[in-house]
Every structure is written in C-alpha cells, then in structure tokens.
Amino acid sequence: MPAVSQSLRCATVAATVLISVISAPAAFAGGRGEGGSRGSTDQQANADGDGTVSVTVGGVVFDRSKNGRGDSVGAVTSSTSWSPPACWYAPKYTPEELQDYLEPIWEAESTGYEWDAKQREKYNAEDEKKGFNKDKTGKGFWWGSYVNRSYPPGWDKCDTDYFWVDKGDAPPADRENAVTPEVLAELAYAEIRVPGTEVTLAPAGATKVNLPTWAWLDGAEFKPVSVTASVEEIGISATATAEPVSLQIKAGTPDAVTYPVSGVCEIRDGRIGAPYEKGRADDTPPCGVKYLRSSGDGTFPLQATVTWKIHWTGSGNAGGDLPDGTFGATQDVVVQEIQAVNR
C-alpha cells in the first residue's frame, strides 16, 4: 500500500481517566512487560471539555470523535481475507525506563545467570553513561511489541526483543508491523464503528405475497465516519475514513425477487433506498423485495448488509485505499397471503 499524508493530531486533553492497566503476555524470554511513560498504562482515556474521548492503546492514541456512535454500531469486516495487524511495534521506553524495568528482573535471578549476562552485555548495562543508550536520551526510544487485546490469529508474531530507533528514522524494515503511517491506518481501520443496518420496510409489520416491499435506510445516519491513530512521540498519524456506498438485500428465501435484481442498492444523494409514499404500493421500489410465497407460521430472515469504502490519509502527504468493509444484520419478515373476499 502507498505511504500516507499529514493528518489530524489528537486534540490536547484536559482530563485523564485511567481505564485499565494491562500487562502484555511474555512471548519471549526477557519479557516485554509494561513500563515507562508509554508502557505502564497500556490503555487510558483522555477527555476534553466537550466530552470528546481519545483512547491510548498499545502506544497508539486513537481519536474516535468522528466515529459511529450509539447502541447499534458495530465493527466492519473486511470484504477480503485481509485483517488489521494483530500485534505491532511502537515506542515503549526511554533509556532510563528500560533500565528501571530490566534490572530488577536480572537481580531476581529468575531467568538464569547466563541469559542475564547476555542481556547485560546487549544493553551495555555496566556503562553508567552509555548503558541502555543513555547517551542518546531525548534522541530516540526503545521500541517494543503490543498486541490486540482480543488476541486474534497472529497476535503472538511480534516476538522480537526491544530495539532502538533514533527520532526521525524509520523503524527497521524487517520488523513487520512496526508503526508507520500505513500501519497506523490499518490499526485505525480496526477501531471504525458504523451504524446498524436494520432497514425500514413498507408495508411495516407484515408484507404480502406478490406485493413489492420497499426498503430504505435513514440517510441521516449513513455518513462517513473516521478514526485517527497517532504516535505523538515520533510525530506520525493516519486517519482511516469509511464511506457507505451500497446496501445488499438477501430475502432469506429463493422464492423472492429483489429490487434491483442484483439485490445491491447503491447510495444516491446520501440516501440508501427511498421511503414509501402513499399511493405507490404497485410501483417498483428503487430498493426492496417481493416475496412469491408466504412465510406460513414463521418468518423469512431478511439480511441487509452495507458496504463501506475505506481509505486513509496521514503523515507524508500520501494516502491510499484499504479493503472495503461490510456490516450487516438480519431481521425477521412476516409474509402473508393476500386474502380475497368473496361476496
């Protein structure tokens, strides 16, 4: 994917609310435990005066102020086999913080003399002035790994020990998912929440066999949403934006006809489908379904899925596309026979 352009930095915050302190699982000898200004509080929330909340997770700040809201929102699912990073590397310790974290581990002698000795040598621990890169204080950070706390497949792949990155330098190319604007955009993708997809139907309550049923979604709810991810210590950020493009309807039975035939209703002028208007019962709806048989004593599971086109921008005056995301729901539809009246 292409690199990314300068994006919004998270707003300065007025209050800090600690949500939780979470320790990362030790995936390699020496542990990656939490500590320092970036690691000791793996997740925290910052609230500004108007209630906008930014959340820091795994060294990355997520600004969700332009995200979808409400009880019915949900996460999009990639329309391809792609998935956001399950783990990543980001700045974690200053030289002094890494020293404060590692030396108690070595002093406890729980990891063995030989291993401790190699670690002391690796970090030049005996040199009081240069050990742990203290001579570079303020010029870079020790980077470490973080994981998605839902532990999706691949969460344990970031098993490289701490590594140093000077400010202004890119992380080593062989560290997969070390945060760059592009990786931040992918992490922001995982934080996107979009409105629910329960469509409004007319007739409401129960529809009739061979009668077109109109379907539409509230256009006011289906607007672009976005999440910005940033790492302030190194001055990079990226914004992932999702825009609704279409609604797909599946009737829940092969004995039905969808409008249009493909079942895919494109969004037009910010609206998906069109509300039913009195006197148009026999018209063909721009988005809807016609059932050819009744649901009997049961219902048909109508599935409505909205496709969201997702792109990103960020640091570096560039951007690109991410895989489309989908979010759908199923609702029960009662279909009745039209009752004829004999006189």
Side-chain angles (χ1 to χ4, degrees):
M1 289 182 194
V4 275
S5 66
Q6 181 62 40
S7 177
L8 299 175
R9 297 292 302 275
C10 294
T12 303
V13 297
T16 299
V17 183
L18 183 64
I19 293 180
S20 60
V21 179
I22 311 173
S23 295
F28 55 87
R32 278 178 262 145
E34 308 304 323
S37 60
R38 284 140 302 283
S40 60
T41 54
D42 188 49
Q43 178 168 313
Q44 67 180 31
N46 301 322
D48 64 16
D50 66 2
T52 297
V53 175
S54 298
V55 179
T56 302
V57 180
V60 177
V61 177
F62 294 98
D63 181 351
R64 300 170 178 163
S65 60
K66 296 181 180 180
N67 209 5
R69 303 184 182 187
D71 295 337
S72 65
V73 300
V76 294
T77 299
S78 171
S79 58
T80 70
S81 59
W82 178 88
S83 60
C87 65
W88 59 92
Y89 296 101
K92 199 159 195 174
Y93 297 106
T94 65
E96 291 78 9
E97 289 168 349
L98 184 60
Q99 180 179 14
D100 290 344
Y101 173 69
L102 288 179
E103 285 195 333
I105 296 176
W106 300 337
E107 291 171 2
E109 299 182 350
S110 60
T111 49
Y113 173 81
E114 184 177 352
W115 184 87
D116 290 347
K118 288 181 179 179
Q119 289 287 295
R120 290 178 185 275
E121 181 180 355
K122 173 182 177 179
Y123 296 107
N124 193 20
E126 304 306 323
D127 190 324
E128 293 185 3
K129 293 185 177 180
K130 295 185 178 181
F132 301 94
N133 282 0
K134 283 187 285 187
D135 56 326
K136 290 188 174 184
T137 297
K139 300 178 180 179
F141 292 98
W142 288 100
W143 288 40
S145 62
Y146 298 89
V147 301
N148 182 320
R149 293 303 174 183
S150 64
Y151 302 106
W155 68 267
D156 55 349
K157 289 185 177 180
C158 298
D159 57 2
T160 299
D161 209 343
Y162 306 112
F163 55 93
W164 179 265
V165 180
D166 287 330
K167 283 186 176 180
D169 287 353
D174 62 346
R175 301 299 197 276
E176 185 178 3
N177 293 341
V179 290
T180 60
E182 181 179 355
V183 170
L184 289 179
E186 295 172 351
L187 293 173
Y189 183 111
E191 299 297 316
I192 288 175
R193 298 294 180 267
V194 296
T197 55
E198 183 171 352
V199 296
T200 302
L201 300 175
T207 188
K208 306 296 183 181
V209 173
N210 292 320
L211 179 69
T213 300
W214 293 56
W216 68 93
L217 287 166
D218 184 355
E221 293 186 10
F222 284 84
K223 299 177 180 179
V225 298
S226 66
V227 173
T228 297
S230 63
V231 180
E232 297 180 350
E233 288 88 351
I234 57 177
I236 63 172
S237 63
T239 299
T241 300
E243 299 183 61
V245 293
S246 64
L247 165 71
Q248 182 176 38
I249 290 181
K250 294 183 178 180
T253 172
D255 297 316
V257 176
T258 56
Y259 305 103
V261 175
S262 64
V264 177
C265 308
E266 303 292 337
I267 184 169
R268 300 184 187 280
D269 300 324
R271 172 187 290 175
I272 300 179
Y276 171 75
E277 297 176 357
K278 187 176 181 180
R280 301 189 64 185
D282 294 326
D283 291 356
T284 299
C287 184
V289 61
K290 180 170 68 175
Y291 289 96
L292 305 180
R293 68 178 178 88
S294 77
S295 57
D297 294 331
T299 59
F300 291 132
L302 182 144
Q303 185 178 30
T305 302
V306 173
T307 294
W308 297 76
K309 186 173 181 61
I310 302 176
H311 63 275
W312 56 271
T313 58
S315 306
N317 293 321
D321 293 328
L322 291 167
D324 289 349
T326 60
F327 184 59
T330 299
Q331 57 199 88
D332 294 330
V333 178
V334 175
V335 182
Q336 300 173 338
E337 294 282 1
I338 296 177
Q339 300 298 318
V341 178
N342 296 320
R343 301 189 179 214

